[in-house]
């Protein structure tokens, strides 16, 4: 119980600080303002989600396996 409380306290206080620190370091490394780094990150997430919902569905391994099985059965 005490370990869980300690872990949650550290996680609640340490994780936001690490995210801000990583953003600041990345912004300085790229020589960009921090808000622009946030906006770029949001844009990248939106693009990845759009790709996954459009093209990514057709590249699903289960769907591809079913297509290959159907193609293989049709050849015989």
């Amino acid at each position: 119980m005490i370990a869980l409380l300690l872990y949650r306290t550290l996680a609640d206080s340490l994780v936001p600080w690490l995210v801000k620190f990583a953003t600041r370091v990345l912004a300085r490394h790229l020589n960009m303002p921090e808000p622009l780094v946030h906006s770029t990150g949001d844009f990248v997430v939106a693009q990845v989600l759009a790709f996954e919902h459009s093209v990514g569905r057709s590249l699903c391994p289960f769907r591809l396996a079913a297509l290959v099985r159907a193609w293989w059965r049709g050849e015989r």
Side-chain angles (χ1 to χ4, degrees), residues 20-34 37:
K20 286 181 185 178
F21 180 72
T23 304
R24 182 169 292 147
V25 168
L26 181 63
R28 284 183 176 244
H29 179 72
L30 296 173
N31 198 18
M32 295 170 58
E34 286 183 50
V37 172

Side-chain angles (χ1 to χ4, degrees), residues 11-63:
D12 287 344
S13 62
L14 195 60
V15 170
W17 183 84
L18 284 174
V19 169
K20 286 181 185 178
F21 180 72
T23 304
R24 182 169 292 147
V25 168
L26 181 63
R28 284 183 176 244
H29 179 72
L30 296 173
N31 198 18
M32 295 170 58
E34 286 183 50
L36 186 60
V37 172
H38 282 287
S39 301
T40 305
D42 294 341
F43 178 73
V44 168
V45 168
Q47 290 294 323
V48 168
L49 285 175
F51 175 78
E52 285 180 352
H53 287 292
S54 63
V55 177
R57 283 187 178 171
S58 63
L59 297 176
C60 175
F62 297 112
R63 287 187 179 186

